[in-house]
C-alpha cells in the first residue's frame, strides 16, 4: 500500500507535463514533436497523444505545422533534411510491379505522344479530403511527380515531358507561409533531379521555364544547378527533355517573346520581314521543344489556366477527375488510351 501511495503523485506529474506540452504546442513556432523530444523517454509518449490531438488546432492557429506520414510534425521553417527524409518514402514493390505491367501494355500498343504536358492540380484538395493541411498534399504531389517522370520518360520512352508546377498567379496570390514551404520543396526536388542516376543514364535534360527572376534565390540557384548538370555535352543530343514550369504564365511568356523580338528588330539583329511564327517560337521559354501532343489536367477542372497558350493550339486535351497525388498508372494509361483513339486534324 505504501508503494501505491505514490501513484497520485505520478498521475499529477503526468498531467503537469501534458499541460506544459499544450502550452508549447499553442505558443511556440516549433512543432510539438520538438518539445516531446526534449522531454525524452516515456514522457515523450505521454505527450505524444495530446500533441497529435492538438496538431490540427496548431495548424489553424499558426499556419506553420503539418503532418507528413512518419515525419509527424514539420514546420514552415522548412527543415530541408526533414523534407528530404519525408519525400523519399517509396511506393510498395507490388504497386511498382502493377504499374510496370500496365505501362508495358501501353508501350506495346504504340500511338504514344512525343510530347506530354501535365497540369498538376489538386494537391490542396487531396490534403483536405484526407483531413490534413495543404503541405501534406504538396509533399505527396512531389512524390507523385517523381513516379510519373519514371513512368513517362523511362518506362514509356516519351522524349518530352512538361509539368506545370507553380504558376505566376500562385506565386503572387498564395500565402507567404505556404510559398516558403512549397518553393523549398521544389528546390529540393530540383536538386534531387540534378543527381538522379536514371535520368543521367538516359541523358535526360532538365529545363526550368517561367519568370525565374520572380522566384526566391534558393529556388533560382537550384534551377540553375539542375540545368547546368543535365545539359548535354557540346554536339551531343539529349535522350529526352523534362521541362518544369515554375513561376510560369503563358501570357507572360508570349509577352516576353514579343519584347525580345521587338528588341532584336530595333537593334538591327533581324529584319521586320523575318518576323514569323517560327521566329516568335524561338524566343519562347520552351524554344526548341515540339508543341505538346497531349495535355492532361488532373482534379476534374476543365481549363488550361494560362498554360502554354501559344504551344497548345493543336494539342489534345484530357481532363481526369483524380487529384495529382492520386494520379496513378491506371489513370495515366487511360489518358494515353484516349489519346490513341483520337483523330488529330491540326485544323484541317
Amino acid at each position: 500500500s505504501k508503494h501505491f501511495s505514490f501513484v497520485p503523485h505520478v498521475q499529477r506529474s503526468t498531467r503537469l507535463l501534458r499541460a506544459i506540452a499544450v502550452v508549447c504546442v499553442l505558443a511556440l513556432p516549433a512543432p510539438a514533436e520538438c518539445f516531446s523530444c526534449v522531454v525524452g523517454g516515456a514522457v515523450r509518449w505521454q505527450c505524444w497523444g495530446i500533441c497529435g490531438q492538438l496538431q490540427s488546432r496548431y495548424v489553424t492557429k499558426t499556419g506553420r505545422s503539418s503532418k507528413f506520414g512518419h515525419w509527424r510534425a514539420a514546420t514552415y521553417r522548412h527543415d530541408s533534411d526533414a523534407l528530404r527524409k519525408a519525400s523519399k518514402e517509396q511506393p510498395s514493390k507490388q504497386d511498382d510491379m502493377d504499374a510496370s505491367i500496365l505501362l508495358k501494355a501501353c508501350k506495346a500498343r504504340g500511338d504514344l505522344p512525343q510530347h506530354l504536358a501535365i497540369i498538376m492540380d489538386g494537391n490542396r484538395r487531396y490534403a483536405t479530403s484526407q483531413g490534413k493541411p495543404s503541405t501534406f498534399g504538396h509533399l505527396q504531389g512531389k512524390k507523385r511527380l517523381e513516379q510519373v517522370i519514371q513512368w513517362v520518360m523511362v518506362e514509356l520512352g516519351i522524349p518530352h515531358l512538361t509539368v506545370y508546377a507553380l504558376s505566376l498567379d500562385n506565386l503572387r496570390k498564395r500565402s507567404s507561409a505556404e510559398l516558403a514551404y512549397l518553393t523549398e520543396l521544389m528546390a529540393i526536388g530540383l536538386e534531387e533531379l540534378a543527381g538522379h542516376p536514371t535520368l543521367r543514364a538516359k541523358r535526360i535534360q532538365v529545363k526550368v521555364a517561367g519568370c525565374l527572376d520572380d522566384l526566391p534565390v534558393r529556388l533560382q540557384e537550384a534551377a540553375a544547378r539542375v540545368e547546368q548538370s543535365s545539359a548535354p555535352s557540346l554536339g551531343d543530343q539529349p535522350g529526352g527533355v523534362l521541362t518544369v514550369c515554375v513561376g510560369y504564365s503563358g501570357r507572360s511568356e508570349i509577352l516576353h517573346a514579343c519584347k525580345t523580338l521587338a528588341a532584336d528588330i530595333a537593334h538591327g539583329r533581324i529584319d521586320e520581314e523575318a518576323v514569323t511564327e517560327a521566329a516568335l517560337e524561338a524566343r519562347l521559354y520552351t524554344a526548341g521543344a515540339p508543341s505538346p501532343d497531349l495535355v492532361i489536367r488532373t482534379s476534374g477542372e476543365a481549363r488550361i489556366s494560362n498554360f502554354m497558350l501559344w504551344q497548345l493550339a493543336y494539342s489534345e486535351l484530357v481532363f481526369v477527375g483524380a487529384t495529382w497525388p492520386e494520379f496513378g498508372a491506371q489513370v495515366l494509361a487511360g489518358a494515353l488510351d484516349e489519346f490513341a483513339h483520337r483523330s488529330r486534324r491540326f485544323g484541317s
Side-chain angles (χ1 to χ4, degrees), residues 14 17-18 21 32-33 35-53 70 72:
T14 301
L17 286 168
R18 286 185 174 181
E33 185 178 4
F35 174 74
S36 61
C37 289
V38 172
V39 175
V43 177
R44 172 177 181 176
W45 297 105
Q46 292 289 341
C47 297
W48 187 255
I50 196 164
C51 289
Q53 294 167 20
H70 76 273
R72 302 290 289 232

Side-chain angles (χ1 to χ4, degrees), residues 29-31 34 58 64-66 68 71 73-79 181:
C34 298
Y58 179 80
R64 287 186 287 185
S65 180
S66 57
F68 298 144
W71 183 30
T75 69
Y76 278 119
R77 295 188 301 178
H78 44 72
D79 181 339
Y181 175 85

Side-chain angles (χ1 to χ4, degrees), residues 118-129 174 296-303 305 318-328 331:
I118 304 177
I119 301 174
M120 305 182 296
D121 188 26
N123 287 348
R124 296 192 298 177
R125 223 165 301 173
Y126 173 76
T128 300
S129 73
R174 295 282 176 93
I296 301 172
R297 178 171 183 146
T298 61
S299 202
E301 302 293 348
R303 54 179 179 266
S305 298
V318 173
F319 303 102
V320 300
T323 63
W324 175 243
E326 297 170 310
F327 186 80
V331 182

Side-chain angles (χ1 to χ4, degrees), residues 9-41:
H9 298 288
V10 173
Q11 291 175 336
R12 282 195 293 273
S13 299
T14 301
R15 284 196 295 270
L16 176 61
L17 286 168
R18 286 185 174 181
I20 294 171
V22 172
V23 172
C24 288
V25 170
L26 298 178
L28 296 178
E33 185 178 4
C34 298
F35 174 74
S36 61
C37 289
V38 172
V39 175

